[in-house]
Amino acid sequence: MRPPSPSIPEKDFFFAALDQDVRLDGRGFLEPRSLDLSFGAELGHVECSLGKTRVLAHVDAKMVRPEPQRPFEGLISIHCELSPMAGAEYEPGRSSEEETALARHLDKIFRRSDAIDREALCVLTGERVWHLRLSVHVLSAASSSSSSDAAAAAGGGGGLLDCASLACAAALRHFRRPEVEVHGTGEVTVYAPEARAPVPLALHHTPFCVSFAGRSSLKVRMLLDPAGLELRLAHGVLVLALTAQRELAVVHKAGGLPLAPETLIGAVEIAARRARELETWLDVHVRDDWARKNVEVR
Amino acid sequence: MAVSRADGRGNEDLRPLGIVYEKLARVDGSARFGFGEMEVLASVSGPIEVRLAAEQPSRATIEVNVRPLSSLPGTESKALAASLRGLLTPSIILSRNPRTLIQLVIQSLTPSLTDRFSPSLVAASINAASLALLNGGSIPMTGVVCAAAVASLHPAFEEATSTLVLDPSEAESHTAAASGCFAYLFTTETGESQESPAIPGARLVWTNWHAKNGTFDEGELSRARALGLVGAETVWRAIKRSIPQMDGLPSLPAVGHLSAEVLEGAAQDEDDIKVSDRESDDAKIET
């Protein structure tokens, strides 16, 4: 199905509005969309909505044999697929460019950045390790760009990625794996959640993803949390994944608008502030839900 | 013979039904249905443009995609999708929109212990699909397909008849001797049901009753069928009750058994119900 393409009046309106310091949906240039998080009945099941984009993330763990080259590290796999529920233009079975970009970004942000401590997932060296499976389902991709535009050709990013990475971060923080005990000769006992409180994952850091869309006319303007038309018409997209402690995990700027170093540093500062806000907000929500579910008795 | 179930329910009690109209932004209709905590989210887009290969000259094409929560969609998902397509077809008037596509996506929100979908999850998927079709409003339908799952538990001691329970939990269907899901099409074309004039007649459109050891007897199957019909009728009443609130409250309180008097009383409750908007999405151009 043909995705909607921007028409000339739409383009002109968008650019004229930007020149007058106005965004299409009335937000400030550095104002993100409204955020909402809801946890499911299982630990590690999270639904995140950013504006009209909704993403579901689910973490589960099972014990498997480790890789022979790395007998003391657990395994992590991130599975992300766009179904027609996210939008009628996503066909089942055929990976669109956007889907591959999303999967690659999530992989970089959570797996390659070593956010999860893999050695803590080891139960019995060489025999048993935890295999974490993070499934990401996009329920509504209201902020995606079409595959034939400069922004997506530059490697994707934008509203959908922000929402998906927040859902993943929340799911990883919320999830608790069952407690295990290893007895002398290699016998492993896995305790049910009723017997012993499940244990949260050991995370080295929690990265948060912040995207900017760049557009230059009289001067370069960066829009925080771009959505829809802004992504399609942007000259370039900058994706930053960083922690609340101001450590950059991923900087993705593939082609597009040339940025002066000062603009880039400025964007990083704004993203750092946003990451700090998200960290406190997420922490409060996760603890609330744990308390509500009575995960542990102290 | 009442068997004590793990969660204290009676043999013919369903778990509290949850019906939520999700209002997903990119599809025409979406809804979430749950038997207790076993939930499924379904979305429908249609009638929309169809690929040339799938186009049919005199009727619409139905496409169903089933996606499990944690694993990749495999053979089981494809099998369930094919079954869903078959059982939903009698409820949709396909000839009204030829050369178009009706695209359904069923997203399971419940982790499954095994590859196979448990009968309650299948029933929840069918109900969610019906709700999504109703929510879409753009697809002409002859009736509503409602489903309920039944399991036959091993008798506590040697008995002639085994116990049939309605809406088995995942653990119960795992250990049951036989289990399956029954889907009924409720449509006024078949007249009124014998139970109550408020409910249209029901026709069995699909079942996947199967036994662990490969054999089951016809008597048990017909008793299971009757019990499944009781469950499906309860689901139908819950769906009917949720329709007036489709554009209003995002979720309903849990409903169990509804009698016909309550259903008639619900018509008067409409004025008392405060309709609140879940999203103030018209205030700004939201994307």
Side-chain angles (χ1 to χ4, degrees):
Chain A
M1 194 178 109
R2 244 178 331 120
S5 57
S7 57
I8 295 176
E10 278 182 298
K11 279 189 206 162
D12 291 342
F13 182 77
F14 174 65
F15 295 147
L18 268 194
D19 286 338
Q20 295 174 28
D21 291 343
V22 169
R23 271 172 99 162
L24 279 185
D25 51 10
R27 288 187 277 151
F29 270 48
L30 300 177
E31 193 187 319
R33 287 171 291 172
S34 60
L35 200 49
D36 194 27
L37 204 63
S38 69
F39 297 98
E42 302 263 327
L43 288 173
H45 186 107
V46 160
E47 209 181 301
C48 176
S49 69
L50 188 61
K52 285 212 170 138
T53 306
R54 287 173 62 171
V55 177
L56 170 73
H58 179 87
V59 179
D60 64 17
K62 58 179 185 174
M63 282 222 268
V64 295
R65 209 155 253 282
E67 279 177 23
Q69 305 98 311
R70 293 171 195 273
F72 39 77
E73 277 186 9
L75 304 168
I76 302 169
S77 51
I78 303 183
H79 169 233
C80 160
E81 214 175 36
L82 291 175
S83 70
M85 191 187 280
E89 65 264 23
Y90 301 112
E91 282 171 48
R94 182 117 53 95
S95 293
S96 58
E97 219 177 281
E98 190 171 357
E99 190 179 314
T100 354
L102 179 65
R104 280 192 4 233
H105 276 297
L106 286 177
D107 197 61
K108 265 195 280 189
I109 295 173
F110 289 101
R111 219 167 56 90
R112 301 227 307 255
S113 74
D114 210 24
I116 307 165
D117 188 349
R118 274 194 269 226
E119 293 183 11
L121 294 176
C122 178
V123 175
L124 197 55
T125 310
E127 295 285 319
R128 286 273 174 268
V129 297
W130 286 110
H131 176 193
L132 279 184
R133 222 171 15 170
L134 174 58
S135 312
V136 179
H137 298 284
V138 179
L139 304 179
S140 153
S143 48
S144 59
S145 53
S146 75
S147 59
S148 57
D149 293 316
L160 184 53
L161 176 57
D162 285 0
C163 190
S165 79
L166 185 59
C168 290
L172 288 169
R173 285 278 273 263
H174 189 242
F175 179 68
R176 284 189 174 219
R177 61 166 176 79
E179 164 101 44
V180 291
E181 199 173 291
V182 183
H183 308 290
T185 54
E187 241 184 64
V188 175
T189 317
V190 180
Y191 290 102
E194 297 84 40
R196 288 216 194 159
V199 169
L201 290 177
L203 299 172
H204 285 137
H205 57 87
T206 313
F208 295 98
C209 185
V210 181
S211 308
F212 293 88
R215 152 103 189 113
S216 86
S217 51
L218 303 167
K219 55 174 181 161
V220 172
R221 327 189 78 104
M222 301 297 279
L223 306 171
L224 176 67
D225 191 17
L229 208 55
E230 291 167 355
L231 265 185
R232 287 200 275 271
L233 296 172
H235 286 155
V237 174
L238 171 67
V239 175
L240 296 166
L242 34 59
T243 69
Q245 287 77 35
R246 298 172 63 92
E247 294 161 335
L248 282 169
V250 172
V251 175
H252 179 97
K253 168 134 188 27
L257 180 67
L259 288 181
E262 304 82 54
T263 326
L264 188 59
I265 301 292
V268 172
E269 289 295 324
I270 296 164
R273 230 180 302 144
R274 173 99 176 119
R276 234 189 348 261
E277 282 169 18
L278 286 173
E279 164 90 34
T280 36
W281 179 85
L282 180 63
D283 201 44
V284 161
H285 274 71
V286 169
R287 280 182 201 286
D288 265 349
D289 195 68
W290 277 348
R292 224 175 309 140
K293 287 192 166 73
N294 277 327
V295 279
E296 56 190 359
V297 176
R298 288 189 176 269
Chain B
M1 178 66 154
V3 154
S4 61
R5 298 172 78 169
D7 47 10
R9 285 188 280 153
N11 284 2
E12 302 198 2
D13 287 343
L14 296 169
R15 283 170 287 188
L17 301 175
I19 298 178
V20 180
Y21 293 104
E22 289 287 340
K23 296 191 193 145
L24 293 175
R26 298 297 304 280
V27 288
D28 292 329
S30 56
R32 181 197 300 235
F33 183 90
F35 284 112
E37 279 176 0
M38 184 170 272
E39 295 190 312
V40 174
L41 172 65
S43 77
V44 68
S45 272
I48 56 175
E49 201 177 313
V50 65
R51 284 177 302 124
L52 209 53
E55 188 179 294
Q56 286 174 289
S58 57
R59 58 213 299 260
T61 314
I62 301 187
E63 182 187 296
V64 180
N65 297 293
V66 172
R67 306 171 63 79
L69 183 61
S70 315
S71 38
L72 286 157
T75 324
E76 279 298 323
S77 310
K78 293 206 183 90
L80 181 60
S83 306
L84 284 176
R85 212 175 85 219
L87 68 92
L88 289 172
T89 302
S91 72
I92 303 176
I93 307 175
L94 292 171
S95 51
R96 209 57 91 67
N97 297 293
R99 302 182 194 273
T100 60
L101 174 68
I102 297 171
Q103 193 174 49
L104 270 146
V105 179
I106 312 280
Q107 172 72 59
S108 161
L109 300 174
T110 315
S112 7
L113 297 171
T114 59
D115 271 342
R116 293 199 79 161
F117 289 93
S118 72
S120 282
L121 195 58
V122 175
S125 309
I126 297 170
N127 296 327
S130 291
L131 281 171
L133 285 165
L134 290 169
N135 186 238
S138 47
I139 298 162
M141 297 167 71
T142 60
V144 180
V145 180
C146 300
V150 177
S152 163
L153 302 179
H154 290 286
F157 45 91
E158 276 308 306
E159 277 185 1
T161 54
S162 53
T163 329
L164 290 178
V165 292
L166 188 57
D167 187 23
S169 64
E170 184 121 14
E172 283 173 335
S173 43
H174 205 60
T175 55
S179 62
C181 167
F182 293 90
Y184 290 87
L185 172 64
F186 288 83
T187 165
T188 47
E189 285 171 10
T190 50
E192 289 168 353
S193 83
Q194 288 100 344
E195 296 298 314
S196 138
I199 305 176
R203 229 171 52 214
L204 180 69
V205 285
W206 184 79
T207 178
N208 70 345
W209 184 258
H210 55 276
K212 271 248 186 71
N213 64 355
T215 60
F216 54 85
D217 66 75
E218 278 183 50
E220 190 181 68
L221 175 58
S222 42
R223 279 185 303 128
R225 226 181 113 150
L227 188 56
L229 180 57
V230 168
E233 281 179 347
T234 314
V235 170
W236 185 88
R237 285 194 215 102
I239 292 178
K240 170 110 187 186
R241 195 173 163 219
S242 75
I243 298 290
Q245 298 158 10
M246 211 194 285
D247 295 319
L249 297 169
S251 68
L252 292 179
V255 294
H257 280 104
L258 287 176
S259 60
E261 296 88 5
V262 173
L263 183 60
E264 276 144 48
Q268 289 131 25
D269 288 341
E270 273 180 84
D271 306 315
D272 305 332
I273 291 166
K274 204 158 49 82
V275 173
S276 61
D277 274 307
R278 186 183 184 180
E279 303 162 353
S280 55
D281 53 6
D282 298 315
K284 34 188 193 174
I285 306 167
E286 190 72 69
T287 44

